[in-house]
Structures are given as structure tokens and as C-alpha cells.
Amino acid sequence: MKLIDTRRFLMVRKEVLSSRERVRLALEHKETDRIPIAMVCSGINAPAYRELESYLKKERGISVHEYINPLMDIKGVGPDYIGPKFESGFDMWGVHRSPVSYGADSYHEIDFYPLQSAETIDDLDKHKFPSTEWFDYSVIPERIASAQANGEYCLMTSGGNIFEASWYMRGFQQLFMDFVINPELVHGIMERVTNFFTEHSKKILSSAKGNIDLAFTADDIGDQRGLLVSPEMWEEFMKPYHVRLNKAIHEFGAKVIYHSDGSVMDVVDGLIDMGIDVLQALQFSADKMDPSALKSHYGDRLCFQGGVSVQTTLPFGSSEDVRSEVENLITILGENGGYILGPSHAIQAGTPPENIMALFDTARDFYPFRDR
């Protein structure tokens, strides 16, 4: 039998990786042909998108879609919503949002919390929580086929944001007060939210028949300085519900990609213990958030996604600053695999188009592990 030059074979193989293969190798802590790229819990806000569109047309004669879409390795898929129709501004949780201008555009902020006046578990029973009957999961195979029509991508679905969905209904300040004065109500809300997300995820993944690789879950549990709650409160009120959701997701062979903004270093061990596979956002401008520490302490047990700062470098740095940050993150987090690069959150209005291009051009071209 003819012996194969393994190194040469791998180098050739790397040149023809599909997006799905590239992400899968990264999630197996293996190096690839280039760093995987994705915009998870991200995007480009409308004013910045318009500026980038104009700049790309002038400089390269292409649209934003033509520029960015070929670089993306992860696509989202999900079911159809077929449930009740809601009045304008309301969502399926009964939460209402109204637009609040930031000048160039607006964000939609909550101005009605449907469980704000709830006092007992009986009050929760009067609220109409969403049902999986409100979704058509039979469309999932068709959605998968459509997503893969022009190449094999890593597919991701939404698994749920338990704590956030709970405070959206109860109110941010009120739910934190409930942790101390009405813990039974907190558990009652989160139990109902978790029941929905768990069944929702099971039905999506069952319909996907192994073709969805990632389930996105989230809960912002950190701010710029540290955790929003003590580690002990996180262990009691948040972790157990994500453990149950993550277990259900893993039963279908999908991996959990978990989003939190802010400083979360104090509970990374706990996040791993609760079953996440990929830590997403990576807000390195927050206190104690350090890519080298994350990689050295947790890189054998955890993968990472995001990291390029939408708070500092992208909006306020030079193009060279952006290139340097991207190269640094790839060098640190991408060694031996385990990293999918992207912005840490939505790219904000006012971000220079040259900086956005520096992000994606560098991510496409810089890979120091290619010839090893």
C-alpha cells in the first residue's frame, strides 16, 4: 500500500474545506485552512451598513452582501411562526417595545412588562406563555436545504435566553429584587420559560435530523465590571435551568454556543459545568476579560466566538488597530483550533467602513498556522 504524505494531504485538504468542515474542525480543537468567521448575535446596524455599502461600491464595485456573505461560515435556520397575531410592538411573551432614537436610527426598548405586578404562582398561571403549537417545525428540512443550496455551511438554531426572557416580562430591577424577597416567583417564571425553550429546541433539532450543528443560547450575566449577581445567586437562579436546556440540546448531537456580554471570568468554570461548548461575545474591554487567560485556562475544554471590539477598536481605532486586534485574537485563540472570529456584538453606527473591511479582510487572509 502506498504511504500518504500526511502533512501534504492535510495541506491540500485544508484548501477545499467547506464552511461546515471548517467550523467542525475548530470545535474539535483542530486547526483549519483559515479562521472560521461568523456574525453570531451580531450584524451591522443600518447607518453603518449604508456607509459600508457606499464605500464598497466605490472602492471594489460590490455590495455588502457580495463582500461579507462568502466569508460567513455559520447560517441560521428555524421554524415558521404560525401562532396568534400580536398588536404592534408586542412579542410572544406579552412584552411591548417602542423605538428610542439614538440619532442616526433607533433601538426598540421595553416599555411594558406583563408580569410586573405578579405576586404569586397563581398570577403566573393567568399569563399566556408561548407554546410550541405556535410554530411549524415541518419546514426545518426545507430551510436546511435552502441554506445549503450554494455550499455546505455550519447551521445554527436558537435555543433560548432564559434569564433575559424572564426579566423582559418581570422587569430588570424587579426580578433582581425577587431573587431576595420572592425567590419562589423567580423559579416559577424561569421554570415556565425553560419548559418552552427546551421543548422548542427538541422539536427543531428532531426535525433537523442531525443537520444542525449549533444551538445559540444566551443570558447577559455580566456588565463592564463583573457579574450582575453573585456567583451564588447565579448558581441558584440561572445555572440549573441552562443545565436542563443544554442537556436536551446535546441529546441531538448539537453543540451549545452561549452568549453573554460583559465580564464573566468569575463563572467560566460554572458555564463549562452547565454544559456550554462555545463562549460567545468575548467583550475584552470589560474588566478581567483577557484572551490569553481564557485560552490558557479553558481552551482545552471550551471554544470561543466573537471578540473583535465593537465598543472600542472598531468604532474608535484606526484600520491598523483593527488589523492588529484581529491578528492578535487569531494568534492567541486560534492556536490548536477552538476559535470562530467575529465582532463582539452588532457593529454600531459611526463605525468607519474602512475598519469593518479591515476586520473581514484580515480574518480572511491572516492565518499563522496554515503551513505548520
Side-chain angles (χ1 to χ4, degrees):
M1 181 180 294
K2 185 177 180 180
L3 295 176
I4 297 174
D5 182 338
T6 304
R7 184 172 180 274
R8 182 176 179 278
F9 174 78
L10 288 174
M11 287 176 67
V12 172
R13 185 74 184 93
K14 284 181 180 181
E15 293 175 2
V16 293
L17 291 180
S18 70
S19 288
R20 191 181 195 191
E21 290 171 324
R22 185 176 298 118
V23 173
R24 280 185 161 185
L25 282 172
L27 296 180
E28 293 169 2
H29 300 275
K30 297 176 183 176
E31 291 168 1
T32 62
D33 56 337
R34 65 161 171 81
I35 205 71
I37 307 169
M39 298 184 77
V40 177
C41 196
S42 181
I44 305 174
N45 283 1
Y49 191 100
R50 290 192 293 268
E51 285 192 39
L52 180 60
E53 182 88 3
S54 177
Y55 190 84
L56 279 167
K57 291 281 188 180
K58 177 182 175 182
E59 295 295 321
R60 300 190 184 181
I62 58 175
S63 67
V64 174
H65 178 81
E66 290 169 322
Y67 172 59
I68 290 181
N69 197 56
L71 300 176
M72 295 295 106
D73 292 306
I74 297 177
K75 287 187 176 183
V77 294
D80 262 348
Y81 178 79
I82 56 171
K85 305 297 182 185
F86 304 115
E87 293 182 29
S88 177
F90 283 91
D91 65 16
M92 67 180 184
W93 301 98
V95 172
H96 187 272
R97 292 173 174 83
S98 294
V100 176
S101 173
Y102 59 81
D105 206 336
S106 61
Y107 286 110
H108 285 74
E109 304 289 354
I110 299 174
D111 56 12
F112 174 72
Y113 307 90
L115 295 179
Q116 189 169 30
S117 61
E119 296 179 356
T120 67
I121 296 297
D122 288 341
D123 292 329
L124 301 184
D125 292 336
K126 299 172 187 175
H127 180 69
K128 192 169 187 177
F129 285 84
S131 164
T132 56
E133 298 300 317
W134 296 1
F135 294 86
D136 179 7
Y137 302 94
S138 69
V139 303
I140 295 291
E142 178 185 339
R143 297 280 168 84
I144 290 171
S146 176
Q148 305 289 35
N150 296 312
E152 188 181 40
Y153 291 87
C154 174
L155 300 184
M156 179 180 73
T157 193
S158 177
N161 51 337
I162 298 167
F163 163 64
E164 290 178 335
S166 298
W167 78 251
Y168 294 167
M169 291 184 285
R170 180 64 169 156
F172 190 71
Q173 180 176 332
Q174 184 61 55
L175 193 70
F176 281 98
M177 293 172 62
D178 293 335
F179 287 160
V180 178
I181 63 176
N182 200 348
E184 182 183 21
L185 192 68
V186 177
H187 287 298
I189 296 171
M190 289 194 175
E191 179 74 21
R192 287 159 173 77
V193 172
T194 304
N195 288 345
F196 167 75
F197 280 134
T198 300
E199 290 306 309
H200 187 57
S201 297
K202 285 181 176 180
K203 291 189 175 185
I204 292 172
L205 294 170
S206 176
S207 299
K209 302 187 185 305
N211 290 306
I212 290 177
D213 296 310
L214 289 170
F216 175 82
T217 67
D219 270 336
D220 284 336
I221 57 172
D223 64 16
Q224 198 71 24
R225 301 159 299 175
L227 297 177
L228 297 177
V229 296
S230 68
E232 293 75 20
M233 280 190 170
W234 177 80
E235 288 272 354
E236 177 182 353
F237 291 106
M238 301 182 198
K239 181 181 177 181
Y241 299 104
H242 276 279
V243 167
R244 193 201 319 169
L245 176 59
N246 295 342
K247 182 180 178 182
I249 290 167
H250 285 149
E251 287 174 357
F252 292 89
K255 293 184 180 293
V256 175
I257 179 166
Y258 175 86
H259 165 92
S260 177
D261 293 332
S263 176
V264 297
M265 287 293 284
D266 290 341
V267 288
V268 174
D269 277 312
L271 292 172
I272 295 170
D273 185 55
M274 89 178 185
I276 76 167
D277 302 290
V278 186
L279 180 61
Q280 195 278 323
L282 308 180
Q283 188 183 335
F284 291 125
S285 56
D287 291 354
K288 297 187 284 187
M289 293 294 290
D290 177 74
S292 296
L294 274 174
K295 186 70 172 183
S296 62
H297 294 149
Y298 308 108
D300 59 336
R301 296 176 288 155
L302 189 63
C303 297
F304 307 101
Q305 200 284 320
V308 183
S309 178
V310 302
Q311 187 178 18
T312 55
T313 316
L314 277 169
F316 303 120
S318 65
S319 295
E320 184 53 43
D321 292 333
V322 175
R323 281 190 287 271
S324 178
E325 180 164 302
V326 171
E327 290 180 0
N328 186 56
L329 291 173
I330 292 173
T331 301
I332 294 170
L333 296 175
E335 186 169 16
N336 300 316
Y339 181 47
I340 303 165
L341 184 137
S344 58
H345 214 301
I347 296 173
Q348 299 296 305
T351 301
E354 300 93 330
N355 286 6
I356 301 173
M357 292 171 64
L359 187 169
F360 290 111
D361 285 352
T362 308
R364 178 195 61 209
D365 298 333
F366 180 79
Y367 196 68
F369 320 111
R370 185 172 285 119
D371 297 326
R372 299 202 312 191

